[in-house]
Amino acid sequence: MRPTGVLRVVAVACTLVGTWFLLQMYLNTSWKSISLRSWFGSSVLADPSASHAQPQTPRNKCGNVKSCPQNHFAFKIISGAANVVGPSLCFDDNLIMSSVKNNIGRGLNFALMNGTTGQLIKTDSYDMYSGDVKHLVDFLKTIQDGTLVLVASYDDPATKMNDEARALLTSLGSTYAAKLSFRDNWVFLGGKGLKDKSPFEQHIKNEKEKNKYDGWPEVLEMEGCVPQKMD
């Protein structure tokens, strides 16, 4: 055999041996070791929150900023926005009235709550622009001692308001009921049998120069903790 032929056979044999050796190394390699994590390092793909997870802040009732102490009810009252978005009333983490629940109306929206148990007694709304104020007066006269009264305005709370209605609302602890005017915004939490004025009340006048919306003042939002009535 010529030398060139021998060299060619040797070269082919070396190639085959090398190929076999590489295949053996490849087949013996664990698939788990071939991953993006091994290529880039575990720190690149690791979720930093997995090993350093921060404890979630507990959600307060009604989504309030602060939690309420024992023997108190959490509440949040949001007035209507102009005549477009209705008000919402939350009490003890229960959404009592809202547009979603379809139980609000133009004028004044009321939720009556049992001051001892926190249970809902009644909800209602009274049109104070074109309705009959007598219906509101009759409603206010039926409220029993120990009842918490939540109120939120929507659109117009006062056009049909009369002195008797204002006096009854004032007796529930309101400071601003006597001053309510056309398209003012008002949120209030009072109660039947209060000896003093309620600390839970906000009011903003309808003033053309200061209104946030065209013809209406800005939305009012009030939250807090009202003490449970202890027998």
Side-chain angles (χ1 to χ4, degrees):
M1 182 180 291
R2 295 180 181 180
T4 55
V6 173
L7 292 175
R8 184 175 301 172
V9 170
V10 171
V12 170
C14 290
T15 301
L16 290 173
V17 170
T19 302
W20 175 83
F21 181 76
L22 289 173
L23 284 172
Q24 287 291 26
M25 290 184 61
Y26 178 76
L27 292 173
N28 288 333
T29 302
S30 170
W31 282 104
K32 293 182 180 180
S33 67
I34 304 175
S35 64
L36 290 177
R37 185 183 297 274
S38 65
W39 284 1
F40 295 106
S42 59
S43 61
V44 174
L45 295 179
D47 182 0
S49 64
S51 58
H52 304 286
Q54 298 296 323
Q56 291 186 349
T57 302
R59 177 190 175 279
N60 297 321
K61 289 185 176 181
C62 290
N64 291 355
V65 174
K66 297 181 179 179
S67 62
C68 291
Q70 189 174 6
N71 300 324
H72 284 69
F73 296 116
F75 72 88
K76 178 180 286 186
I77 306 174
I78 304 175
S79 72
N83 63 346
V84 179
V85 180
S88 68
L89 294 83
C90 176
F91 189 84
D92 199 30
D93 214 25
N94 294 307
L95 185 60
I96 306 298
M97 302 183 74
S98 71
S99 298
V100 174
K101 294 180 75 71
N102 196 30
N103 62 350
I104 51 99
R106 177 174 68 177
L108 293 176
N109 293 267
F110 289 83
L112 304 184
M113 313 299 299
N114 185 303
T116 302
T117 66
Q119 296 298 306
L120 174 65
I121 298 173
K122 184 178 182 180
T123 63
D124 216 337
S125 60
Y126 296 91
D127 187 341
M128 302 305 295
Y129 181 76
S130 60
D132 188 345
V133 72
K134 180 180 182 301
H135 298 312
L136 172 61
V137 170
D138 291 343
F139 166 76
L140 293 173
K141 288 180 177 180
T142 66
I143 299 175
Q144 302 295 310
D145 283 351
T147 301
L148 295 174
V149 183
L150 287 70
V151 190
S153 65
Y154 180 27
D155 188 7
D156 175 27
T159 295
K160 292 289 185 174
M161 189 75 75
N162 62 14
D163 290 342
E164 186 176 15
R166 293 179 190 275
L168 289 168
L169 290 167
T170 299
S171 71
L172 298 175
S174 172
T175 299
Y176 295 107
K179 309 172 185 179
L180 283 179
S181 299
F182 174 66
R183 286 185 178 175
D184 286 359
N185 253 351
W186 181 48
V187 290
F188 170 64
L189 188 153
K192 186 65 177 289
L194 289 183
K195 297 179 180 179
D196 300 307
K197 293 298 182 184
S198 170
F200 306 118
E201 185 172 26
Q202 293 182 15
H203 168 255
I204 185 169
K205 289 192 66 62
N206 168 28
E207 297 180 295
K208 184 177 180 180
E209 297 78 12
K210 299 179 180 180
N211 285 344
K212 182 174 182 178
Y213 307 108
D214 185 17
W216 289 269
E218 64 183 292
V219 172
L220 291 176
E221 180 173 333
M222 177 176 67
E223 63 181 54
C225 305
V226 60
Q228 179 184 8
K229 183 179 182 298
M230 309 300 288
D231 293 331

